[in-house]
Amino acid sequence: MEQKKESAPYLEQLTSEQDLKQAIEAILYAAGYPMRYDKLGELLGLSTKDIKTLVRSMADHFALEDTHHGIQLLLYPTTCQLATKERYAPYIREALGIRRGGNLSASSMEVLAVVAYNQPVTRSYIDLVRGVDSSYAVNSLLDKGLIEAAGRLDAPGRPMLYVTTDKFLRVFGLNALDELPETEALSVAAAQAEGTEENQGNTESEQLTLDVDNEVIPSDYTEPVDGEEEDVAIEASAAPPPSPDSNEKEDLT
């Protein structure tokens, strides 16, 4: 493996592949959150491409059933993160005294699915797909860091556009959005919403206020569990979000 650049001047230059992998593993373990490939490359004196090659090899190793590891290495477009394997989640909760909680309401799951499959989208688009006001659920997902604002649409009123975040991928155990399961129901609803938007044209400006005090809470909203906790160690063990016609709640822990 070719050294593309010098590592930090106060650090010993690691040359063997084994030392480099062990250093990456140690950094990710100590961090506990996603680390950028370019940051790892800066520390270890490697190009981002070489770091990705090493990390991918490590992830394949952790994924093997006969490696006797209780952790996995999650890969994302610009970052990577160590996490525990799903099968050991009950033992982790029991050992650390972590209660189950933080379930998303059915309305929040619907909004999250609409955003995930059609991003970037405006709040009015979400309302059209669901057929009800979604402002409370949108704000809830923003607070949880599962969706985020990604600019404004070049249209009257310049409505905010929303996309899913890297945390969304981690929570639902996805490496990329193309791993989302196909759902025919959402495609039909989205097509109907697009047709409605085209018919409306530019006669109305979209209102996208994020002030919860001025929003009407939809009747299908379910109050979240008080004092919910986020379990970073096992946040990647949840299943992909269901289609909007599913009433099953997902555990964000």
Side-chain angles (χ1 to χ4, degrees), residues 1 64 76 89-91 103 135 153 155 182 186 188 214 217 220:
M1 181 175 297
L64 296 176
Y76 306 107
Y91 301 95
N103 291 334
S135 51
L153 183 65
E182 295 183 1
L186 184 59
V188 173
N214 295 328
I217 301 176
D220 60 346

Side-chain angles (χ1 to χ4, degrees), residues 15-87:
T15 57
S16 72
E17 181 175 327
Q18 181 178 355
D19 284 343
L20 289 167
K21 287 183 176 180
Q22 290 178 349
I24 293 173
E25 181 178 348
I27 293 170
L28 296 178
Y29 177 83
Y33 55 83
M35 287 288 296
R36 294 184 60 87
Y37 298 121
D38 55 0
K39 178 62 175 179
L40 291 172
E42 180 181 343
L43 291 170
L44 300 175
L46 296 176
S47 68
T48 301
K49 180 179 179 181
D50 285 341
I51 287 292
K52 286 185 174 181
T53 300
L54 285 174
V55 171
R56 190 176 298 110
S57 174
M58 294 170 60
D60 292 340
H61 173 72
F62 285 128
L64 296 176
E65 295 183 359
D66 59 352
T67 56
H68 309 293
H69 287 292
I71 58 176
Q72 58 183 329
L73 184 49
L74 305 176
L75 308 181
Y76 306 107
T78 60
T79 62
C80 57
Q81 179 183 15
L82 280 178
T84 56
K85 292 182 178 178
E86 180 179 2
R87 63 176 298 186

Side-chain angles (χ1 to χ4, degrees), residues 4 19 22-23 30 35 53 57 74 80 106 108 122 126 133 151 164 166 175 194 198 204-205 207 209:
K4 298 297 183 181
D19 284 343
Q22 290 178 349
M35 287 288 296
T53 300
S57 174
L74 305 176
C80 57
S108 292
T122 62
I126 299 171
D133 180 82
T164 55
D166 286 344
N175 290 318
E194 290 176 355
E198 291 177 358
E204 298 180 358
S205 297
Q207 302 300 320
T209 177

Side-chain angles (χ1 to χ4, degrees), residues 176-190:
L177 291 173
D178 56 13
E179 294 182 6
L180 286 168
E182 295 183 1
T183 167
E184 182 177 353
L186 184 59
S187 300
V188 173

